[in-house]
mmCIF file of all heavy atoms in Angstrom:
data_model
loop_
_atom_site.group_PDB
_atom_site.id
_atom_site.type_symbol
_atom_site.label_atom_id
_atom_site.label_comp_id
_atom_site.label_asym_id
_atom_site.label_seq_id
_atom_site.Cartn_x
_atom_site.Cartn_y
_atom_site.Cartn_z
ATOM 1 N N SER T 583 -14.303 -3.534 18.911
ATOM 2 C CA SER T 583 -13.208 -2.827 18.266
ATOM 3 C C SER T 583 -12.272 -3.847 17.636
ATOM 4 O O SER T 583 -12.097 -4.944 18.128
ATOM 5 C CB SER T 583 -12.433 -1.984 19.276
ATOM 6 O OG SER T 583 -13.236 -0.980 19.831
ATOM 7 N N VAL T 584 -11.704 -3.467 16.486
ATOM 8 C CA VAL T 584 -10.835 -4.354 15.748
ATOM 9 C C VAL T 584 -9.438 -3.698 15.587
ATOM 10 O O VAL T 584 -9.367 -2.530 15.242
ATOM 11 C CB VAL T 584 -11.378 -4.717 14.387
ATOM 12 C CG1 VAL T 584 -10.447 -5.595 13.625
ATOM 13 C CG2 VAL T 584 -12.738 -5.374 14.516
ATOM 14 N N CYS T 585 -8.364 -4.446 15.858
ATOM 15 C CA CYS T 585 -7.021 -3.935 15.679
ATOM 16 C C CYS T 585 -6.256 -4.937 14.760
ATOM 17 O O CYS T 585 -6.367 -6.135 14.937
ATOM 18 C CB CYS T 585 -6.337 -3.871 17.028
ATOM 19 S SG CYS T 585 -4.688 -3.123 16.963
ATOM 20 N N THR T 586 -5.532 -4.402 13.790
ATOM 21 C CA THR T 586 -4.769 -5.245 12.838
ATOM 22 C C THR T 586 -3.388 -4.647 12.646
ATOM 23 O O THR T 586 -2.995 -3.686 13.316
ATOM 24 C CB THR T 586 -5.469 -5.362 11.489
ATOM 25 O OG1 THR T 586 -5.420 -4.051 10.825
ATOM 26 C CG2 THR T 586 -6.944 -5.771 11.612
ATOM 27 N N VAL T 587 -2.648 -5.195 11.701
ATOM 28 C CA VAL T 587 -1.305 -4.695 11.397
ATOM 29 C C VAL T 587 -1.348 -3.239 10.924
ATOM 30 O O VAL T 587 -0.351 -2.556 10.996
ATOM 31 C CB VAL T 587 -0.624 -5.579 10.342
ATOM 32 C CG1 VAL T 587 -0.363 -6.970 10.856
ATOM 33 C CG2 VAL T 587 -1.427 -5.636 9.043
ATOM 34 N N LEU T 588 -2.491 -2.821 10.420
ATOM 35 C CA LEU T 588 -2.609 -1.445 9.951
ATOM 36 C C LEU T 588 -2.303 -0.438 11.099
ATOM 37 O O LEU T 588 -1.714 0.597 10.865
ATOM 38 C CB LEU T 588 -4.016 -1.174 9.390
ATOM 39 C CG LEU T 588 -4.451 -2.032 8.214
ATOM 40 C CD1 LEU T 588 -5.843 -1.572 7.743
ATOM 41 C CD2 LEU T 588 -3.454 -1.960 7.070
ATOM 42 N N ASN T 589 -2.718 -0.811 12.311
ATOM 43 C CA ASN T 589 -2.433 0.078 13.459
ATOM 44 C C ASN T 589 -0.929 0.226 13.660
ATOM 45 O O ASN T 589 -0.418 1.259 14.013
ATOM 46 C CB ASN T 589 -3.089 -0.466 14.697
ATOM 47 C CG ASN T 589 -4.602 -0.452 14.643
ATOM 48 O OD1 ASN T 589 -5.215 -1.368 14.161
ATOM 49 N ND2 ASN T 589 -5.201 0.633 15.125
ATOM 50 N N GLY T 590 -0.215 -0.910 13.489
ATOM 51 C CA GLY T 590 1.227 -0.899 13.668
ATOM 52 C C GLY T 590 1.906 -0.003 12.650
ATOM 53 O O GLY T 590 2.817 0.789 12.995
ATOM 54 N N TYR T 591 1.468 -0.030 11.377
ATOM 55 C CA TYR T 591 2.052 0.851 10.376
ATOM 56 C C TYR T 591 1.761 2.299 10.698
ATOM 57 O O TYR T 591 2.630 3.170 10.534
ATOM 58 C CB TYR T 591 1.490 0.493 9.001
ATOM 59 C CG TYR T 591 2.029 -0.805 8.424
ATOM 60 C CD1 TYR T 591 1.169 -1.845 8.087
ATOM 61 C CD2 TYR T 591 3.397 -1.013 8.246
ATOM 62 C CE1 TYR T 591 1.658 -3.034 7.567
ATOM 63 C CE2 TYR T 591 3.904 -2.187 7.763
ATOM 64 C CZ TYR T 591 3.041 -3.196 7.430
ATOM 65 O OH TYR T 591 3.511 -4.386 6.929
ATOM 66 N N LEU T 592 0.575 2.572 11.126
ATOM 67 C CA LEU T 592 0.176 3.940 11.465
ATOM 68 C C LEU T 592 1.027 4.517 12.623
ATOM 69 O O LEU T 592 1.465 5.624 12.601
ATOM 70 C CB LEU T 592 -1.294 3.985 11.834
ATOM 71 C CG LEU T 592 -1.897 5.402 12.044
ATOM 72 C CD1 LEU T 592 -1.710 6.266 10.818
ATOM 73 C CD2 LEU T 592 -3.372 5.255 12.398
ATOM 74 N N GLU T 593 1.288 3.642 13.611
ATOM 75 C CA GLU T 593 2.082 4.072 14.766
ATOM 76 C C GLU T 593 3.527 4.365 14.382
ATOM 77 O O GLU T 593 4.189 5.168 15.013
ATOM 78 C CB GLU T 593 2.052 2.988 15.838
ATOM 79 C CG GLU T 593 0.684 2.864 16.532
ATOM 80 C CD GLU T 593 0.596 1.639 17.463
ATOM 81 O OE1 GLU T 593 1.643 0.962 17.602
ATOM 82 O OE2 GLU T 593 -0.458 1.405 18.023
ATOM 83 N N GLN T 594 3.999 3.706 13.325
ATOM 84 C CA GLN T 594 5.409 3.901 12.899
ATOM 85 C C GLN T 594 5.591 5.193 12.067
ATOM 86 O O GLN T 594 6.720 5.610 11.861
ATOM 87 C CB GLN T 594 5.860 2.707 12.063
ATOM 88 C CG GLN T 594 5.954 1.394 12.801
ATOM 89 C CD GLN T 594 6.312 0.276 11.867
ATOM 90 O OE1 GLN T 594 7.313 0.297 11.136
ATOM 91 N NE2 GLN T 594 5.491 -0.775 11.876
ATOM 92 N N CYS T 595 4.489 5.772 11.650
ATOM 93 C CA CYS T 595 4.591 6.947 10.775
ATOM 94 C C CYS T 595 4.858 8.238 11.557
ATOM 95 O O CYS T 595 4.319 8.441 12.657
ATOM 96 C CB CYS T 595 3.242 7.093 10.002
ATOM 97 S SG CYS T 595 3.333 8.365 8.729
ATOM 98 N N ARG T 596 5.699 9.078 10.997
ATOM 99 C CA ARG T 596 6.000 10.366 11.625
ATOM 100 C C ARG T 596 4.768 11.226 11.657
ATOM 101 O O ARG T 596 3.957 11.209 10.742
ATOM 102 C CB ARG T 596 7.108 11.105 10.872
ATOM 103 C CG ARG T 596 8.446 10.395 10.906
ATOM 104 C CD ARG T 596 9.434 10.978 9.921
ATOM 105 N NE ARG T 596 9.631 12.396 10.139
ATOM 106 C CZ ARG T 596 9.437 13.356 9.216
ATOM 107 N NH1 ARG T 596 9.066 12.980 7.966
ATOM 108 N NH2 ARG T 596 9.647 14.598 9.459
ATOM 109 N N GLU T 597 4.606 12.036 12.746
ATOM 110 C CA GLU T 597 3.440 12.859 12.907
ATOM 111 C C GLU T 597 3.302 13.857 11.716
ATOM 112 O O GLU T 597 2.197 14.135 11.276
ATOM 113 C CB GLU T 597 3.526 13.655 14.213
ATOM 114 C CG GLU T 597 3.266 12.837 15.465
ATOM 115 C CD GLU T 597 1.878 12.247 15.512
ATOM 116 O OE1 GLU T 597 0.933 12.924 15.046
ATOM 117 O OE2 GLU T 597 1.725 11.130 16.000
ATOM 118 N N GLU T 598 4.434 14.339 11.219
ATOM 119 C CA GLU T 598 4.384 15.328 10.159
ATOM 120 C C GLU T 598 3.777 14.806 8.847
ATOM 121 O O GLU T 598 3.247 15.576 8.046
ATOM 122 C CB GLU T 598 5.797 15.871 9.854
ATOM 123 C CG GLU T 598 6.443 16.638 11.017
ATOM 124 C CD GLU T 598 7.094 15.709 12.043
ATOM 125 O OE1 GLU T 598 6.928 14.473 11.924
ATOM 126 O OE2 GLU T 598 7.751 16.203 12.943
ATOM 127 N N THR T 599 3.867 13.500 8.620
ATOM 128 C CA THR T 599 3.343 12.951 7.370
ATOM 129 C C THR T 599 2.206 11.945 7.623
ATOM 130 O O THR T 599 1.815 11.221 6.694
ATOM 131 C CB THR T 599 4.499 12.234 6.594
ATOM 132 O OG1 THR T 599 5.102 11.251 7.443
ATOM 133 C CG2 THR T 599 5.552 13.225 6.149
ATOM 134 N N LYS T 600 1.684 11.953 8.846
ATOM 135 C CA LYS T 600 0.632 10.983 9.170
ATOM 136 C C LYS T 600 -0.605 11.168 8.336
ATOM 137 O O LYS T 600 -1.268 10.204 7.915
ATOM 138 C CB LYS T 600 0.289 11.037 10.669
ATOM 139 C CG LYS T 600 -0.702 9.977 11.098
ATOM 140 C CD LYS T 600 -0.810 9.884 12.611
ATOM 141 C CE LYS T 600 0.408 9.159 13.167
ATOM 142 N NZ LYS T 600 0.237 8.913 14.615
ATOM 143 N N ALA T 601 -0.943 12.421 8.028
ATOM 144 C CA ALA T 601 -2.138 12.678 7.205
ATOM 145 C C ALA T 601 -2.034 12.038 5.854
ATOM 146 O O ALA T 601 -2.985 11.508 5.302
ATOM 147 C CB ALA T 601 -2.367 14.206 7.090
ATOM 148 N N ASP T 602 -0.806 12.128 5.254
ATOM 149 C CA ASP T 602 -0.584 11.506 3.967
ATOM 150 C C ASP T 602 -0.666 9.990 4.029
ATOM 151 O O ASP T 602 -1.238 9.335 3.154
ATOM 152 C CB ASP T 602 0.768 11.917 3.401
ATOM 153 C CG ASP T 602 0.866 13.416 3.127
ATOM 154 O OD1 ASP T 602 -0.137 13.967 2.641
ATOM 155 O OD2 ASP T 602 1.898 13.995 3.412
ATOM 156 N N PHE T 603 -0.090 9.420 5.095
ATOM 157 C CA PHE T 603 -0.114 7.970 5.216
ATOM 158 C C PHE T 603 -1.540 7.467 5.468
ATOM 159 O O PHE T 603 -1.896 6.348 5.034
ATOM 160 C CB PHE T 603 0.855 7.497 6.337
ATOM 161 C CG PHE T 603 1.008 6.016 6.374
ATOM 162 C CD1 PHE T 603 1.673 5.358 5.338
ATOM 163 C CD2 PHE T 603 0.519 5.248 7.416
ATOM 164 C CE1 PHE T 603 1.854 3.995 5.323
ATOM 165 C CE2 PHE T 603 0.653 3.881 7.427
ATOM 166 C CZ PHE T 603 1.335 3.243 6.373
ATOM 167 N N LEU T 604 -2.317 8.243 6.190
ATOM 168 C CA LEU T 604 -3.702 7.867 6.436
ATOM 169 C C LEU T 604 -4.446 7.752 5.107
ATOM 170 O O LEU T 604 -5.271 6.841 4.903
ATOM 171 C CB LEU T 604 -4.407 8.877 7.319
ATOM 172 C CG LEU T 604 -4.026 8.859 8.803
ATOM 173 C CD1 LEU T 604 -4.542 10.053 9.516
ATOM 174 C CD2 LEU T 604 -4.584 7.595 9.486
ATOM 175 N N GLN T 605 -4.168 8.676 4.209
ATOM 176 C CA GLN T 605 -4.814 8.613 2.887
ATOM 177 C C GLN T 605 -4.383 7.302 2.184
ATOM 178 O O GLN T 605 -5.234 6.632 1.537
ATOM 179 C CB GLN T 605 -4.355 9.783 2.037
ATOM 180 C CG GLN T 605 -5.019 11.064 2.406
ATOM 181 C CD GLN T 605 -4.763 12.141 1.344
ATOM 182 O OE1 GLN T 605 -5.508 12.252 0.362
ATOM 183 N NE2 GLN T 605 -3.728 12.896 1.518
ATOM 184 N N LEU T 606 -3.107 6.965 2.339
ATOM 185 C CA LEU T 606 -2.614 5.747 1.692
ATOM 186 C C LEU T 606 -3.247 4.505 2.254
ATOM 187 O O LEU T 606 -3.647 3.577 1.525
ATOM 188 C CB LEU T 606 -1.105 5.688 1.889
ATOM 189 C CG LEU T 606 -0.318 4.637 1.068
ATOM 190 C CD1 LEU T 606 -0.439 4.934 -0.397
ATOM 191 C CD2 LEU T 606 1.138 4.582 1.533
ATOM 192 N N LEU T 607 -3.472 4.456 3.570
ATOM 193 C CA LEU T 607 -4.133 3.348 4.214
ATOM 194 C C LEU T 607 -5.536 3.158 3.668
ATOM 195 O O LEU T 607 -5.938 2.038 3.300
ATOM 196 C CB LEU T 607 -4.209 3.534 5.716
ATOM 197 C CG LEU T 607 -3.066 3.100 6.604
ATOM 198 C CD1 LEU T 607 -3.403 3.394 8.054
ATOM 199 C CD2 LEU T 607 -2.759 1.629 6.410
ATOM 200 N N VAL T 608 -6.300 4.252 3.626
ATOM 201 C CA VAL T 608 -7.670 4.176 3.157
ATOM 202 C C VAL T 608 -7.722 3.711 1.705
ATOM 203 O O VAL T 608 -8.513 2.884 1.309
ATOM 204 C CB VAL T 608 -8.380 5.503 3.343
ATOM 205 C CG1 VAL T 608 -9.793 5.487 2.773
ATOM 206 C CG2 VAL T 608 -8.434 5.892 4.834
ATOM 207 N N TRP T 609 -6.840 4.321 0.894
ATOM 208 C CA TRP T 609 -6.816 3.982 -0.542
ATOM 209 C C TRP T 609 -6.481 2.506 -0.711
ATOM 210 O O TRP T 609 -7.100 1.792 -1.525
ATOM 211 C CB TRP T 609 -5.803 4.855 -1.261
ATOM 212 C CG TRP T 609 -5.793 4.645 -2.742
ATOM 213 C CD1 TRP T 609 -6.560 5.238 -3.674
ATOM 214 C CD2 TRP T 609 -4.967 3.702 -3.470
ATOM 215 N NE1 TRP T 609 -6.288 4.760 -4.933
ATOM 216 C CE2 TRP T 609 -5.315 3.834 -4.839
ATOM 217 C CE3 TRP T 609 -3.984 2.799 -3.085
ATOM 218 C CZ2 TRP T 609 -4.707 3.065 -5.817
ATOM 219 C CZ3 TRP T 609 -3.374 2.025 -4.079
ATOM 220 C CH2 TRP T 609 -3.721 2.152 -5.448
ATOM 221 N N ALA T 610 -5.485 1.998 0.014
ATOM 222 C CA ALA T 610 -5.041 0.623 -0.136
ATOM 223 C C ALA T 610 -6.158 -0.349 0.216
ATOM 224 O O ALA T 610 -6.385 -1.342 -0.493
ATOM 225 C CB ALA T 610 -3.835 0.362 0.746
ATOM 226 N N VAL T 611 -6.851 -0.099 1.307
ATOM 227 C CA VAL T 611 -7.923 -0.961 1.747
ATOM 228 C C VAL T 611 -9.068 -0.920 0.724
ATOM 229 O O VAL T 611 -9.679 -1.934 0.420
ATOM 230 C CB VAL T 611 -8.444 -0.599 3.150
ATOM 231 C CG1 VAL T 611 -9.677 -1.392 3.509
ATOM 232 C CG2 VAL T 611 -7.342 -0.837 4.179
ATOM 233 N N HIS T 612 -9.362 0.275 0.215
ATOM 234 C CA HIS T 612 -10.395 0.394 -0.794
ATOM 235 C C HIS T 612 -10.078 -0.403 -2.034
ATOM 236 O O HIS T 612 -10.888 -1.147 -2.555
ATOM 237 C CB HIS T 612 -10.559 1.876 -1.146
ATOM 238 C CG HIS T 612 -11.702 2.169 -2.049
ATOM 239 N ND1 HIS T 612 -11.879 3.351 -2.725
ATOM 240 C CD2 HIS T 612 -12.758 1.399 -2.432
ATOM 241 C CE1 HIS T 612 -12.986 3.311 -3.442
ATOM 242 N NE2 HIS T 612 -13.525 2.124 -3.292
ATOM 243 N N GLN T 613 -8.813 -0.295 -2.502
ATOM 244 C CA GLN T 613 -8.397 -1.057 -3.693
ATOM 245 C C GLN T 613 -8.456 -2.569 -3.423
ATOM 246 O O GLN T 613 -8.862 -3.315 -4.283
ATOM 247 C CB GLN T 613 -6.987 -0.627 -4.089
ATOM 248 C CG GLN T 613 -6.871 0.816 -4.564
ATOM 249 C CD GLN T 613 -7.869 1.164 -5.636
ATOM 250 O OE1 GLN T 613 -8.004 0.472 -6.654
ATOM 251 N NE2 GLN T 613 -8.639 2.229 -5.409
ATOM 252 N N GLY T 614 -8.032 -2.958 -2.208
ATOM 253 C CA GLY T 614 -8.097 -4.353 -1.865
ATOM 254 C C GLY T 614 -9.537 -4.890 -1.908
ATOM 255 O O GLY T 614 -9.780 -6.002 -2.387
ATOM 256 N N ALA T 615 -10.471 -4.081 -1.457
ATOM 257 C CA ALA T 615 -11.878 -4.468 -1.465
ATOM 258 C C ALA T 615 -12.407 -4.584 -2.882
ATOM 259 O O ALA T 615 -13.158 -5.477 -3.209
ATOM 260 C CB ALA T 615 -12.701 -3.448 -0.650
ATOM 261 N N ARG T 616 -11.982 -3.651 -3.728
ATOM 262 C CA ARG T 616 -12.429 -3.694 -5.149
ATOM 263 C C ARG T 616 -11.873 -4.908 -5.858
ATOM 264 O O ARG T 616 -12.625 -5.597 -6.534
ATOM 265 C CB ARG T 616 -11.968 -2.403 -5.851
ATOM 266 C CG ARG T 616 -12.643 -1.141 -5.379
ATOM 267 C CD ARG T 616 -12.157 0.064 -6.099
ATOM 268 N NE ARG T 616 -12.409 0.007 -7.511
ATOM 269 C CZ ARG T 616 -11.962 0.891 -8.419
ATOM 270 N NH1 ARG T 616 -11.229 1.918 -8.005
ATOM 271 N NH2 ARG T 616 -12.259 0.765 -9.689
ATOM 272 N N VAL T 617 -10.589 -5.151 -5.708
ATOM 273 C CA VAL T 617 -9.940 -6.273 -6.415
ATOM 274 C C VAL T 617 -10.500 -7.620 -5.934
ATOM 275 O O VAL T 617 -10.707 -8.530 -6.733
ATOM 276 C CB VAL T 617 -8.409 -6.223 -6.225
ATOM 277 C CG1 VAL T 617 -7.769 -7.503 -6.784
ATOM 278 C CG2 VAL T 617 -7.838 -4.987 -6.904
ATOM 279 N N SER T 618 -10.708 -7.729 -4.617
ATOM 280 C CA SER T 618 -11.177 -9.011 -4.091
ATOM 281 C C SER T 618 -12.672 -9.191 -4.142
ATOM 282 O O SER T 618 -13.218 -10.231 -3.756
ATOM 283 C CB SER T 618 -10.709 -9.145 -2.620
ATOM 284 O OG SER T 618 -11.271 -8.142 -1.814
ATOM 285 N N GLY T 619 -13.354 -8.143 -4.647
ATOM 286 C CA GLY T 619 -14.802 -8.278 -4.834
ATOM 287 C C GLY T 619 -15.617 -8.082 -3.562
ATOM 288 O O GLY T 619 -16.790 -8.428 -3.528
#
């Protein structure tokens, strides 16, 4: 299992908007992967 700063950001998010922030996390990592090749 791997744990990074992403877990910390997720834990700080309010439950009511966690679904939206989860989308943001996935999108950000995807974009990072695309840009960095």
Side-chain angles (χ1 to χ4, degrees):
S583 297
V584 178
C585 184
T586 70
V587 295
L588 300 183
N589 294 88
Y591 287 122
L592 186 58
E593 289 172 4
Q594 294 175 54
C595 188
R596 294 169 57 235
E597 286 297 324
E598 295 84 352
T599 56
K600 185 167 284 187
D602 294 322
F603 189 67
L604 285 168
Q605 286 192 87
L606 192 64
L607 273 182
V608 177
W609 185 87
V611 173
H612 188 193
Q613 295 308 308
R616 291 179 63 186
V617 172
S618 61

